[in-house]
Amino acid sequence: MNTVKTINEVRNQVKVWKKEGYSIALVPTMGSLHAGHASLISRAAKENEKVVVSIFVNPIQFGPSEDLDSYPRDLNKDEIVCEGAGADLIFAPKATEMYYKDIEASVSVKELAAGLCGAKRPNHFAGVCTVVSKLFNIIPADKAYFGQKDAQQLAIIKRMVRDLNFDIEIIGCPIIREKDGLAKSSRNVYLSPEERQAALILNKSLTKCREALSNGERSTNLLKEIIKAQIQTETLARIDYIEIVDALSLDAIDFANKPILVAIAIYIGKTRLIDNFIYEA
Ligand code: PAF
């Protein structure tokens, strides 16, 4: 496995593989790789002959008061995870390699980016879509792998691929959890031991909601109240949002009578964590 840092190098390697007829997968990441990323890479390796992992902390998807500077970065550790999971090539460019200073063109997103995480992160999904489309152009893969943990991101990328006719298949992969239920996230490293314990409230509150759905509850207001009441039992937790939306359109709905996405974002101390599940009613 090799690591390259320039667009030319990754393009040349992918061109050679294409000529040789290999199927190619792309796993876009921001590094700080954990078992969740490893599961994307190993699935990509199972389903394709060559796997490229991009590692790039994309500055344009961070807001001014977000954690761009402190976002965890450790390329050596990431290389070990990639190698172990079956990657063939890492593309780890610098920001100056990816963006001209006078960038004019970018990708914008409308309604799908307005709610959930997009409500308080106004340019986030435009930043994600811009970098992901650049990566799709730099690395013309057959399939790209994304985690269901970022459910809104996955829905938006699928729609972008449809709307802009990218010739790539988007594969969504299940959330990977710690043994105690906390969803794996690069931001979990920010949590103190006490906060780490408190963070279990995300999965606990979603489990309560899933139980209520299984018992026949369909009012999304009531379901949201169930989640809220559970979260409020944890003093270190502060709710950012609790949303139940149509799983495809991400529109708010009153009754859970079609596939729904139940998504929450919670601050534990200063760390914002997200979690979700899809329920096929
Ligand atoms: O999910 C992420 O890590 C990022 O948003 C992505 C898709 C790599 C784009 O920077």
Side-chain angles (χ1 to χ4, degrees):
M1 192 200 67
N2 234 347
T3 300
V4 296
K5 303 209 167 174
T6 66
I7 294 171
N8 271 344
E9 286 169 293
V10 71
R11 273 209 167 125
N12 288 340
Q13 178 61 75
V14 170
K15 256 186 212 153
V16 171
W17 284 339
K18 286 238 151 189
K19 232 187 195 164
E20 290 170 356
Y22 288 121
S23 58
I24 296 169
L26 170 64
V27 184
T29 80
M30 297 209 299
S32 183
L33 304 179
H34 49 66
H37 299 106
S39 77
L40 301 182
I41 300 166
S42 41
R43 175 148 173 213
K46 241 182 237 144
E47 297 176 355
N48 303 270
E49 287 156 308
K50 298 288 177 192
V51 178
V52 184
V53 178
S54 65
I55 296 181
F56 179 58
V57 182
N58 175 34
I60 68 164
Q61 71 185 71
F62 287 77
S65 59
E66 292 180 21
D67 55 347
L68 172 62
D69 292 336
S70 60
Y71 197 83
R73 292 162 172 90
D74 189 342
L75 185 57
N76 291 339
K77 209 170 136 218
D78 289 345
E79 283 172 330
I80 294 168
V81 175
C82 287
E83 178 114 58
D88 296 282
L89 181 66
I90 294 177
F91 174 50
K94 289 211 164 97
T96 46
E97 179 72 7
M98 287 297 277
Y99 293 112
Y100 290 98
K101 272 197 186 129
D102 55 352
I103 179 171
E104 283 280 339
S106 60
V107 177
S108 62
V109 200
K110 294 198 273 193
E111 301 309 320
L112 282 183
L116 303 168
C117 291
K120 291 200 186 111
R121 304 181 80 191
N123 300 314
H124 173 69
F125 288 111
V128 169
C129 285
T130 299
V131 81
V132 168
S133 41
K134 283 164 73 70
L135 290 167
F136 288 173
N137 285 329
I138 294 166
I139 301 154
D142 301 290
K143 294 181 182 167
Y145 292 76
F146 294 88
Q148 179 61 41
K149 161 123 187 309
D150 295 302
Q152 187 176 17
Q153 168 172 283
L154 179 58
I156 290 175
I157 288 169
K158 281 185 177 162
R159 192 69 76 86
M160 176 185 81
V161 164
R162 186 199 76 172
D163 291 350
L164 300 183
N165 305 96
F166 281 103
D167 189 14
I168 192 163
E169 190 184 339
I170 302 300
I171 314 284
C173 304
I175 297 176
I176 303 295
R177 296 181 181 278
E178 305 283 356
K179 275 203 187 84
D180 60 10
L182 179 65
K184 300 259 185 190
S185 163
S186 303
R187 292 189 167 100
N188 290 351
V189 297
Y190 298 149
L191 301 169
S192 70
E194 198 191 350
E195 288 172 343
R196 170 68 185 73
Q197 194 56 30
L200 295 180
I201 201 65
L202 280 101
N203 187 43
K204 269 189 206 155
S205 66
L206 291 182
T207 302
K208 282 265 178 225
C209 177
R210 210 182 287 109
E211 281 166 12
L213 278 159
S214 301
N215 292 335
E217 183 55 65
R218 288 291 175 268
S219 156
T220 55
N221 272 340
L222 273 174
L223 291 164
K224 285 194 271 187
E225 283 305 320
I226 289 168
I227 297 174
K228 187 174 167 189
Q230 185 67 25
I231 293 170
Q232 283 172 339
T233 64
E234 176 50 68
T235 47
L236 292 182
R238 183 163 56 82
I239 295 168
D240 180 6
Y241 68 73
I242 300 168
E243 295 288 357
I244 301 183
V245 296
D246 179 305
L248 281 181
S249 69
L250 305 186
D251 287 338
I253 47 172
D254 293 332
F255 290 97
N257 49 13
K258 50 181 156 180
I260 54 165
L261 168 69
V262 180
I264 59 175
I266 291 172
Y267 284 92
I268 302 286
K270 284 190 180 142
T271 306
R272 184 175 175 281
L273 298 174
I274 57 173
D275 203 346
N276 70 78
F277 69 92
I278 287 186
Y279 190 82
E280 314 259 349

